[in-house]
Amino acid sequence: MTHTATTWLRTFAAAVLAAEPDLTALDQATGDGDFGANMAGALRLVQSDLDSLPPGAADGEVIAVAARVFLDKVGGTSGPLFGLLFQELAAAAGDGLTSDALATGAAKGLAAIQRVGEAEVGDKTLVDALSPAVDALRGCPDDLASAFAAAASAAESGAESTAGIRARRGRASYVGDHAVGVSDPGAVAVGLLFRAGA
Amino acid sequence: MTHTATTWLRTFAAAVLAAEPDLTALDQATGDGDFGANMAGALRLVQSDLDSLPPGAADGEVIAVAARVFLDKVGGTSGPLFGLLFQELAAAAGDGLTSDALATGAAKGLAAIQRVGEAEVGDKTLVDALSPAVDALRGCPDDLASAFAAAASAAESGAESTAGIRARRGRASYVGDHAVGVSDPGAVAVGLLFRAGA
Amino acid sequence: MSPYFAASPDSLVDDGLAGFALAHADLVHLIPDPGYVTAAAPSPGRVVALVSGGGAGHEPLHAGFVGAGMLDAACPGRIFASPHNRQIYEASRAVAGSGGVLHVVKNYTGDKINFGIAAERLQHDGIRCARVLVDDDLATDSADIAVGRRGTGATVVVEKLLGAAADQGLDLDALVALGERVAAGSRSLAVATAAHTSPATGSPAFALPAGQLEYGVGIHGERSGSTRPLTDPASLVADMADSLVIALGLIPGDRVITVVNGLGGTTPLELYGVHHHLAAALADHGVTAQRHLVDSVVTALDMRGFSLTLTRTDDDLTALWDAPARTAAWKA
Amino acid sequence: MSPYFAASPDSLVDDGLAGFALAHADLVHLIPDPGYVTAAAPSPGRVVALVSGGGAGHEPLHAGFVGAGMLDAACPGRIFASPHNRQIYEASRAVAGSGGVLHVVKNYTGDKINFGIAAERLQHDGIRCARVLVDDDLATDSADIAVGRRGTGATVVVEKLLGAAADQGLDLDALVALGERVAAGSRSLAVATAAHTSPATGSPAFALPAGQLEYGVGIHGERSGSTRPLTDPASLVADMADSLVIALGLIPGDRVITVVNGLGGTTPLELYGVHHHLAAALADHGVTAQRHLVDSVVTALDMRGFSLTLTRTDDDLTALWDAPARTAAWKA
Ligand SMILES: Nc1ncnc2c1ncn2[C@@H]1O[C@H](COP(=O)(O)OP(=O)(O)O)[C@@H](O)[C@H]1O
Ligand SMILES: Nc1ncnc2c1ncn2[C@@H]1O[C@H](COP(=O)(O)OP(=O)(O)O)[C@@H](O)[C@H]1O
Ligand SMILES: [Mg+2]
Ligand SMILES: [Mg+2]
Ligand SMILES: [Mg+2]
Ligand SMILES: [Mg+2]
């Protein structure tokens, strides 16, 4: 089942690299403009670490590659938070990434992110995308692709909903009304993550 | 005859203050952009020193006010050079500014400026305006207004001629072809000086 | 290509650090992987090491304040991005004293998280670790901002005073108490007339019409909540000083350390002019500016602006300010 | 209103000087009329006083280098305008030693004229006065430029080395000889990616398209004769270094002092990155960079650019470089 996780992460990496200018622009408008570069730099590292992974590695090992990169080599706010998410997804995936594993990993990842970052839904952070995705995954059919699709749709509308919000957490909280009308880049990236598996 | 020199200098001051943005723009394009502020600052000082001059002061004393301001309170390249010119004009004017005095003072001023600044005609400096003005004043009719007018026309066409030149002296020499097509601000100011008396 | 003299945003940081270490080889050592700087000749009397760090783009903060009398190590992240926890963890391990490590952390979510993970790892290794949070920015003192005030210009003051105290052999608890007192007694406000140039896009991070002032900016080039007409600097500085004096509850006779800090693209003439106006404004309040620093020390790349910091002081703190420090950028 | 934090271009200078004198009252005294700064604690061993000056807008030059070990007095003009002769004359009278006064003059027509008039007046008063002309700018080394090379970044090197030599009690002739040797052994080159903001208009002094480099700018914000595409900094710095090495006729084994100088709007990361590239380029030539300075010391308001200066050195000059100096801005 190596193929599943590898394809997912490579698709996610490609999506982030393609979206880097947009993510930069969103973080420029709502924060400090480093989110695009931070995620792109991380995913380039993930790509090259995946290259040197032995063929036949289990899904959990594959996702653990991303977890290690994000936790140990990527800073910013987004680096460790995505790292926590990947860490839980890797643990849940084990030998094979199933829709159940995705649901469990995402839920545990969300919990870890909230423990560390203390954001609630409505604070205009990636939690606004991840939390509805976790809800959508709960009790999802046993088909990984449709689980990803359901999570992606939920995350994307969660991300869209952040545009209307005046932020209370994250860097957008500093810029007041300037961030209203602009989506949170971290939430958008969470949408890309699930969409990459769909 | 106080009236003559005072009116002349006050008219010159007003002309420079009105032209300050243009002079700044010319020095911006050919040099370092400080000429307008330098001349305007100087002429504001001249105006206020003229205010406190006793009525009935001789033309030479009046012009000496300008000489003192420019020599002792104004820096840059233009400060001392205009100061030298006013110093010679003041000496020549004595009790009354005549066309002869203007011719003598301007010629001696030009000589002093060239001794100190070492510029020749064609170097794209105020010498390109002052030198033809001195020529025009030589053997001019004994009518101060028409002497001023002749000097002004000569200075103005001298100033215009500087636009075509690639500078060898002054700050315009540093910017190469960027200064071609732009008149030298010092030469333009010499035109204003004579025009103010015409 | 951006107007920065750098092949890429990453090499802006990497080449800058390499050149910094080369230029100040007598003061610092650079460990390029994972990326931190240590003092070549740390203070001998310390039992607790001081470590700080944060996104790059704020130079000379923090690496410029590594050396005897200030920091033992600094961890620079990428531009405006917190360092990752491994940088902090390894830097802290490298310099930890018998009494542990104190982290000086500017209050940003990313910095708190990454320093927090590093602290967990250090404690796991049996290394005592504590944190002083710097949160001086008055512009973000608002019920609408759940994350609290940002850490900005006061960071240098905290690093200087804690450094001098660490030199005296203070232990971790005493340093935490001192750091918290200094941080609590510090407030800053920053304004800008032009955004920094984004290294990612090569363009200004935001557009500000001529004659407008962004009041209450941070050090990451974010805009503030409030844009207002640019007034003459004397009254602008007086307004800012009023807010700081009120926020700190200063009364006549109180003493402060002042920092007039350039955000990057501001000229020394302007900063000294601001210092001149600030001195007048404080005198109006009867507050004594006992020590001062006028310099660009906590920058936001090439942003055109400045910040004012006031830190309450007393004889003890002033003595710590006056203690010697030997780092690349300490000049007061 | 311009983006400068100043009520007017004149108050940019006046308030800046007032604040500078206030911030560094232990180091300097300001005499506002006619406008000069003297060392509060001049070097005791001197018989000859060192005086420099020039247009404002180049801060910390020159006032930032007034103090023991460097200048005895500095005369700032208005923005980019030479000081007038009375400033120089009175400053020189105020500090003149038993062996006279040495003027350190950057090679500009206005500076030469104003310092020249002051020198005449001093000699008339019976005060010995001589001049060292700094003319290091390679970009203006051209048969088309009758006025000769501009004085730029090497000015700080000349001021430092002459200051240390004056401290040893050298007389006027010896200082002139030394100054001429240092100036002759110095060349600089400067580049910019963006013009300074004109304090007169509030707009950039010239427009440079993105991705373009002005190669060979001065310190008055003039553009250069040559605009070229901006390349990566390693090859840009290598090109610049090549030209300087050739101009000075340096051969393997020769030793230099290097200055990487920011023009105002350039970040410390960039300057240190340039220093890193310069070290590599000089190593390729077999030239030893024996001492260095990386700082914004000779600026052009907020211009985005940097200059490189190389000064030939030997044991004697290096010892002068290493001698102590106590001024507001000397950091090497
Ligand atoms: N407290 C938080 N909890 C969860 N996510 C957060 C929190 N704060 C910020 N984020 C997310 O981090 C993203 C920004 O990441 P990044 O640019 O790396 O951080 P920084 O704000 O430190 O520059 C935001 O778009 C937001 O989704
Ligand atoms: N050598 C010289 N002789 C005569 N006039 C000169 C000389 N050099 C410059 N000038 C004049 O000075 C003017 C510029 O004055 P100013 O802006 O005060 O000087 P700076 O070039 O030092 O900024 C030029 O327009 C030119 O007319
Ligand atoms: Mg960000
Ligand atoms: Mg000029
Ligand atoms: Mg950031
Ligand atoms: Mg000038």
Side-chain angles (χ1 to χ4, degrees):
Chain A
M1 293 289 293
T2 307
H3 207 56
T4 309
T6 314
T7 307
W8 174 39
L9 291 182
R10 288 196 184 280
T11 308
F12 177 52
V16 166
L17 294 179
E20 182 183 344
D22 299 337
L23 297 172
T24 297
L26 290 178
D27 198 35
Q28 199 92 270
T30 61
D32 60 351
D34 61 339
F35 181 78
N38 204 46
M39 291 295 283
L43 286 157
R44 267 186 225 104
L45 291 177
V46 170
Q47 282 177 328
S48 82
D49 281 8
L50 287 179
D51 290 344
S52 50
L53 200 69
D59 278 345
E61 288 170 54
V62 172
I63 302 172
V65 164
R68 271 195 303 276
V69 165
F70 273 89
L71 282 176
D72 241 29
K73 296 187 177 167
V74 187
T77 303
S78 47
L81 293 187
F82 274 87
L84 291 173
L85 176 58
F86 283 121
Q87 184 167 274
E88 295 298 345
L89 287 165
D95 282 347
L97 180 61
T98 61
S99 67
D100 269 358
L102 185 63
T104 309
K108 288 195 171 173
L110 171 63
I113 286 172
Q114 290 192 292
R115 273 197 310 275
V116 168
E118 297 174 9
E120 300 294 331
V121 169
D123 280 348
K124 191 164 183 145
T125 71
L126 55 83
V127 168
D128 292 357
L130 186 55
S131 178
V134 165
D135 291 342
L137 285 167
R138 210 172 283 140
C140 209
D142 197 27
D143 158 15
L144 184 59
S146 34
F148 265 126
S153 301
E156 285 159 359
S157 38
E160 266 165 48
S161 77
T162 61
I165 309 176
R166 208 172 176 291
R168 291 193 66 252
R169 297 223 160 244
R171 216 167 278 276
S173 61
Y174 304 142
V175 304
D177 290 335
H178 289 299
V180 175
V182 186
S183 301
D184 176 70
V188 170
V190 168
L192 296 179
L193 177 68
F194 289 111
R195 183 58 65 200
Chain B
M1 294 289 293
T2 304
H3 208 57
T4 310
T6 314
T7 307
W8 174 38
L9 290 182
R10 287 195 185 279
T11 309
F12 176 52
V16 167
L17 294 179
E20 182 183 343
D22 300 336
L23 297 173
T24 296
L26 291 177
D27 198 34
Q28 199 92 271
T30 62
D32 61 351
D34 61 340
F35 181 77
N38 205 46
M39 291 294 284
L43 286 157
R44 269 186 223 104
L45 291 177
V46 169
Q47 282 177 329
S48 83
D49 281 8
L50 287 178
D51 290 344
S52 50
L53 199 70
D59 279 344
E61 288 170 53
V62 171
I63 302 172
V65 164
R68 269 196 304 276
V69 164
F70 273 88
L71 282 176
D72 241 30
K73 296 186 179 170
V74 188
T77 302
S78 48
L81 294 187
F82 274 87
L84 292 172
L85 176 59
F86 283 121
Q87 183 167 274
E88 295 298 344
L89 287 165
D95 282 347
L97 179 61
T98 61
S99 68
D100 270 358
L102 185 63
T104 308
K108 289 195 169 172
L110 171 64
I113 285 171
Q114 290 192 289
R115 272 197 310 275
V116 168
E118 298 174 11
E120 301 294 332
V121 170
D123 281 347
K124 190 161 182 147
T125 72
L126 57 83
V127 168
D128 292 357
L130 186 55
S131 176
V134 165
D135 290 343
L137 286 168
R138 209 171 283 136
C140 209
D142 198 25
D143 160 15
L144 184 58
S146 35
F148 265 126
S153 302
E156 284 158 359
S157 39
E160 268 165 46
S161 78
T162 60
I165 309 177
R166 207 173 178 291
R168 291 193 66 254
R169 300 224 157 242
R171 216 166 278 274
S173 62
Y174 304 142
V175 302
D177 290 335
H178 289 300
V180 175
V182 187
S183 301
D184 176 71
V188 170
V190 169
L192 296 179
L193 177 68
F194 289 112
R195 182 59 64 200
Chain C
M1 189 169 258
S2 88
Y4 287 97
F5 295 101
S8 71
D10 278 339
S11 65
L12 179 60
V13 178
D14 295 332
D15 292 350
L17 282 174
F20 174 77
L22 184 67
H24 303 291
D26 54 328
L27 293 172
V28 297
H29 294 148
L30 170 67
I31 291 81
D33 183 22
Y36 61 89
V37 163
T38 59
S43 297
R46 293 195 180 182
V47 295
V48 174
L50 294 190
V51 175
S52 192
H58 308 306
E59 290 68 28
L61 197 73
H62 298 267
F65 300 111
V66 169
M70 292 187 76
L71 299 177
D72 293 285
C75 308
R78 304 282 96 191
I79 298 288
F80 292 165
S82 316
H84 56 76
N85 80 80
R86 196 165 52 93
Q87 293 178 262
I88 304 160
Y89 169 64
E90 293 192 16
S92 301
R93 279 189 63 100
V95 300
S98 58
V101 184
L102 181 63
H103 289 167
V104 178
V105 181
K106 303 196 292 306
N107 184 32
Y108 297 99
T109 303
D111 289 309
K112 282 174 70 179
I113 292 175
N114 289 290
F115 274 91
I117 299 174
E120 302 277 350
R121 294 176 73 172
L122 290 165
Q123 264 139 8
H124 188 264
D125 294 355
I127 297 174
R128 281 200 71 196
C129 180
R131 163 192 292 184
V132 167
L133 205 64
V134 184
D135 61 345
D136 52 315
D137 175 40
L138 191 55
T140 43
D141 197 332
S142 152
D144 290 343
I145 301 177
V147 290
R149 294 185 301 264
R150 294 178 289 217
T152 62
T155 313
V156 173
V157 181
V158 173
E159 290 177 357
K160 177 65 184 74
L161 302 184
L162 282 181
D167 283 357
Q168 296 174 357
L170 258 63
D171 69 15
L172 198 53
D173 293 340
L175 288 173
V176 168
L178 176 69
E180 286 175 352
R181 181 157 77 91
V182 175
S186 297
R187 289 294 182 281
S188 302
L189 254 182
V191 295
T193 51
H196 75 278
T197 310
S198 161
T201 67
S203 305
F206 57 83
L208 196 62
Q212 293 296 105
L213 181 78
E214 202 69 6
Y215 193 94
V217 294
I219 55 171
H220 285 245
E222 314 98 327
R223 35 193 330 168
S224 76
S226 149
T227 306
R228 52 173 80 170
L230 176 61
T231 56
D232 76 288
S235 55
L236 169 63
V237 170
D239 277 359
M240 294 168 72
D242 285 356
S243 304
L244 294 171
V245 163
I246 291 168
L248 286 172
L250 298 174
I251 57 170
D254 280 349
R255 295 178 280 164
V256 292
I257 294 168
T258 64
V259 181
V260 173
N261 169 57
L263 293 179
T266 323
T267 61
L269 281 177
E270 293 169 276
L271 297 182
Y272 283 117
V274 167
H275 177 68
H276 170 69
H277 299 310
L278 177 62
L282 291 176
D284 283 347
H285 285 282
V287 170
T288 304
Q290 206 172 22
R291 292 293 183 277
H292 58 265
L293 178 63
V294 184
D295 200 0
S296 294
V297 284
V298 183
T299 59
L301 290 171
D302 60 353
M303 187 175 233
R304 261 206 139 287
F306 68 88
S307 66
L308 301 183
T309 298
L310 301 187
T311 297
R312 269 182 185 282
T313 192
D314 54 28
D315 290 345
D316 293 343
L317 296 184
T318 298
L320 294 174
W321 179 264
D322 290 342
R326 202 167 156 263
T327 82
W330 179 253
K331 281 205 306 193
Chain D
M1 189 169 258
S2 90
Y4 288 97
F5 295 100
S8 71
D10 278 339
S11 66
L12 180 59
V13 178
D14 295 333
D15 292 351
L17 282 174
F20 174 78
L22 184 66
H24 303 290
D26 54 329
L27 293 172
V28 299
H29 294 147
L30 170 67
I31 291 80
D33 183 21
Y36 61 89
V37 163
T38 59
S43 297
R46 292 193 180 183
V47 295
V48 175
L50 294 190
V51 175
S52 192
H58 308 304
E59 290 67 27
L61 196 75
H62 297 269
F65 300 110
V66 169
M70 292 187 75
L71 299 176
D72 293 286
C75 307
R78 303 282 99 191
I79 298 288
F80 293 164
S82 315
H84 56 77
N85 81 80
R86 195 164 55 92
Q87 292 177 263
I88 305 161
Y89 168 67
E90 292 191 17
S92 301
R93 280 188 62 101
V95 300
S98 58
V101 184
L102 181 62
H103 289 166
V104 177
V105 181
K106 302 195 294 305
N107 185 31
Y108 296 99
T109 304
D111 289 309
K112 284 174 69 178
I113 292 174
N114 289 290
F115 274 91
I117 300 174
E120 302 274 351
R121 293 176 72 173
L122 290 165
Q123 263 139 9
H124 189 263
D125 293 356
I127 296 174
R128 281 199 70 196
C129 180
R131 162 191 295 184
V132 167
L133 206 63
V134 185
D135 60 346
D136 52 316
D137 174 41
L138 191 55
T140 44
D141 197 333
S142 151
D144 290 345
I145 301 177
V147 290
R149 293 185 301 265
R150 292 177 290 217
T152 61
T155 313
V156 173
V157 181
V158 172
E159 290 177 356
K160 177 64 183 74
L161 301 185
L162 283 180
D167 283 358
Q168 297 174 356
L170 258 63
D171 69 15
L172 198 54
D173 294 339
L175 288 173
V176 168
L178 176 69
E180 286 175 351
R181 181 157 79 90
V182 175
S186 297
R187 289 294 181 282
S188 301
L189 253 181
V191 296
T193 51
H196 73 279
T197 310
S198 161
T201 67
S203 304
F206 57 84
L208 196 60
Q212 294 295 105
L213 181 77
E214 202 69 6
Y215 193 94
V217 294
I219 55 170
H220 286 244
E222 315 99 325
R223 38 194 327 169
S224 76
S226 149
T227 306
R228 52 173 81 170
L230 176 60
T231 55
D232 75 289
S235 55
L236 169 63
V237 169
D239 277 0
M240 295 168 72
D242 285 356
S243 303
L244 295 170
V245 163
I246 291 168
L248 286 173
L250 298 174
I251 57 170
D254 280 350
R255 294 178 282 164
V256 293
I257 295 168
T258 64
V259 182
V260 173
N261 168 57
L263 293 179
T266 323
T267 61
L269 281 177
E270 293 169 277
L271 298 182
Y272 283 117
V274 167
H275 177 67
H276 171 68
H277 299 310
L278 177 62
L282 290 176
D284 283 347
H285 285 282
V287 170
T288 304
Q290 206 171 24
R291 292 293 184 275
H292 58 265
L293 178 64
V294 184
D295 201 359
S296 293
V297 284
V298 183
T299 59
L301 290 170
D302 60 354
M303 186 175 233
R304 260 205 140 288
F306 67 88
S307 66
L308 301 183
T309 298
L310 302 187
T311 298
R312 269 181 185 282
T313 192
D314 55 27
D315 290 346
D316 293 344
L317 295 184
T318 298
L320 294 174
W321 180 264
D322 289 342
R326 202 166 157 263
T327 81
W330 179 252
K331 281 206 305 191

